[in-house]
Amino acid sequence: MKVELGVGAKNCLYPLPTTLVGTLVNGKPNYITIAHVGIMDLESVSLGMNKRHYSNEGIKVNKTFSINIPSTTMVKETDYCGLTSGKDHNKADMFKTFYGKLKTAPMIDQCCINMECELIKTVDFPNHDVFIGKIEATYCDEKVLTDGEVDFEKVQPILFVMNDQSYYSLGKKFAKAWRIGKELNK
Amino acid sequence: MKVELGVGAKNCLYPLPTTLVGTLVNGKPNYITIAHVGIMDLESVSLGMNKRHYSNEGIKVNKTFSINIPSTTMVKETDYCGLTSGKDHNKADMFKTFYGKLKTAPMIDQCCINMECELIKTVDFPNHDVFIGKIEATYCDEKVLTDGEVDFEKVQPILFVMNDQSYYSLGKKFAKAWRIGKELNK
């Protein structure tokens, strides 16, 4: 039987990958936990970030940011970056920071995937800035590759669900996209 | 060791939930597989849809769409909706369709979560329309609730990874968000 969900429970577009977004704010690297992310077209991504966050200013000033994918082993540090503000805490101290082509998009060495992005558009919502970035370069740890492709079973991303405010692991690969459905094509 | 990924492999913001997007096109319900989705703010979501798709016209005309979350048991039908076009196939015949408040956003009864959305903005990309919708109502099968909350371990969503063109299952809940990181707060 179908039931209609109440106001706070309406959004069920989960799970989404939990990321650490890197910015340079007042000349210092800062990292914030963001899981309200999305893919726009093949090379562009979005971040839905509450306007109160300290990181937003860094993105607006530099027009760059990074997206770092932490593994489940980093769940405490990842969650901590969502509990604390760069106004009060030097969160970057927990990580080794490196830079790529963009110079103002700090990235976390301990995360096995790092994307540096150029801001191409901002969509304004009442309480959120939605930053849309074009991915300029992506780095990954060699150990998460299988036959030259990123292997998410090795990455072990942290998946976020708002409904029960929980982190989930990734399960098993069980079918090929653009393939399994052909069995119905008769 | 970090390696830089090549052009086609740059986007690693995965996995994302595989959805079936419902539209009314030329007066008939149609469903298409979309996993390039995102959350903008708490009540708004995005769909990145190639402009060649038949469904885009329905969203532009009606200014509504639905997002249906299929379970792993529906992987063949889900993949099939991404392999075939509504121009040539009546894909809605595979499902039982129902309507909610919006009247022009057909939803799939067999999917355990259904969100009906009103189009509030379209962001134009070279080859993609990014449709941003406000969730007007969400329905779910009673059996996927635990203590009144949607339980994604019961939903068993189909997670999509472009890098290896594969579908993954969801793993286990292993930590609480806004909680586990407090252990570092000393």
Side-chain angles (χ1 to χ4, degrees):
Chain A
M1 211 193 76
K2 295 276 180 196
V3 292
E4 187 177 342
L5 295 175
V7 178
K10 274 185 186 170
N11 199 333
C12 292
L13 192 55
Y14 294 102
L16 290 177
T18 309
T19 73
L20 289 168
V21 170
T23 55
L24 207 64
V25 191
N26 299 323
K28 283 186 186 166
N30 186 53
Y31 299 105
I32 183 172
T33 317
I34 298 292
H36 284 163
V37 298
I39 292 183
M40 308 266 97
D41 71 353
L42 298 180
E43 55 189 19
S44 308
V45 292
S46 65
L47 306 175
M49 292 176 53
N50 195 296
K51 289 182 182 181
R52 291 171 314 185
H53 291 315
Y54 183 68
S55 297
N56 296 29
E57 191 57 26
I59 298 178
K60 288 175 186 171
V61 168
N62 299 306
K63 313 236 180 287
T64 60
F65 58 84
S66 76
I67 299 180
N68 305 272
I69 309 283
S71 300
T72 53
T73 51
M74 293 176 67
V75 68
K76 282 185 194 174
E77 290 80 0
T78 300
D79 194 52
Y80 180 83
C81 287
L83 286 167
T84 49
S85 170
K87 272 198 274 289
D88 316 312
H89 293 81
N90 196 342
K91 295 182 264 183
D93 276 356
M94 291 193 294
F95 309 111
K96 185 177 163 199
T97 289
F98 74 101
Y99 291 87
K101 302 180 204 302
L102 297 180
K103 308 301 175 201
T104 53
M107 292 179 276
I108 298 175
D109 189 61
Q110 286 91 336
C111 290
C112 52
I113 296 175
N114 320 94
M115 295 176 262
E116 46 176 345
C117 303
E118 195 145 15
L119 182 71
I120 56 172
K121 208 181 284 271
T122 304
V123 186
D124 191 50
F125 282 79
N127 300 308
H128 289 71
D129 294 316
V130 173
F131 297 114
I132 298 176
K134 183 170 174 289
I135 304 164
E136 289 300 321
T138 301
Y139 309 90
C140 88
D141 290 356
E142 220 168 2
K143 67 174 189 212
V144 301
L145 295 174
T146 296
D147 302 331
E149 284 288 353
V150 173
D151 182 341
F152 280 83
E153 284 187 9
K154 293 181 179 172
V155 172
Q156 294 191 52
I158 301 169
L159 307 183
F160 173 70
V161 172
M162 181 72 124
N163 308 72
D164 57 5
Q165 307 198 351
S166 293
Y167 296 123
Y168 288 74
S169 62
L170 181 64
K172 290 282 172 199
K173 192 188 301 193
F174 70 95
K176 293 298 281 181
W178 294 292
R179 186 91 53 88
I180 181 96
K182 285 187 182 168
E183 295 178 23
L184 297 181
N185 213 347
K186 280 156 195 163
Chain B
M1 209 192 76
K2 295 276 181 195
V3 292
E4 187 178 343
L5 297 175
V7 177
K10 275 184 185 170
N11 199 332
C12 293
L13 192 56
Y14 294 102
L16 291 177
T18 309
T19 74
L20 289 168
V21 169
T23 54
L24 207 63
V25 192
N26 298 323
K28 283 186 185 167
N30 185 54
Y31 299 105
I32 183 171
T33 318
I34 299 292
H36 284 161
V37 298
I39 291 183
M40 309 267 97
D41 71 354
L42 298 180
E43 56 190 16
S44 307
V45 292
S46 65
L47 307 175
M49 292 177 53
N50 195 296
K51 289 182 181 180
R52 290 171 312 184
H53 291 315
Y54 182 69
S55 296
N56 297 30
E57 191 57 26
I59 298 178
K60 288 175 186 171
V61 168
N62 299 306
K63 313 238 181 285
T64 60
F65 58 85
S66 76
I67 299 180
N68 304 272
I69 309 283
S71 300
T72 53
T73 51
M74 290 175 69
V75 67
K76 282 185 195 176
E77 290 80 359
T78 300
D79 194 53
Y80 181 83
C81 287
L83 285 168
T84 49
S85 169
K87 271 198 274 289
D88 315 311
H89 293 82
N90 196 343
K91 295 183 264 182
D93 276 357
M94 291 193 293
F95 309 111
K96 185 178 163 198
T97 289
F98 74 101
Y99 292 86
K101 303 180 204 301
L102 297 180
K103 307 302 175 198
T104 53
M107 291 179 276
I108 298 175
D109 188 61
Q110 287 91 335
C111 288
C112 52
I113 297 175
N114 319 94
M115 296 176 260
E116 46 176 346
C117 303
E118 195 146 14
L119 182 71
I120 57 172
K121 208 180 283 270
T122 304
V123 186
D124 191 50
F125 283 79
N127 300 309
H128 289 72
D129 294 316
V130 173
F131 298 113
I132 298 178
K134 183 168 174 290
I135 304 165
E136 288 300 321
T138 300
Y139 309 90
C140 88
D141 290 356
E142 220 169 2
K143 67 175 187 211
V144 300
L145 295 174
T146 297
D147 300 331
E149 284 289 353
V150 173
D151 182 340
F152 279 84
E153 284 186 10
K154 293 181 179 172
V155 172
Q156 294 190 52
I158 301 169
L159 307 183
F160 173 70
V161 172
M162 181 73 124
N163 308 73
D164 57 4
Q165 307 197 350
S166 293
Y167 296 123
Y168 288 75
S169 62
L170 180 64
K172 289 283 172 199
K173 191 189 301 192
F174 71 95
K176 292 298 279 181
W178 296 291
R179 186 91 53 89
I180 181 96
K182 285 187 183 169
E183 294 178 24
L184 298 182
N185 213 347
K186 280 158 196 164

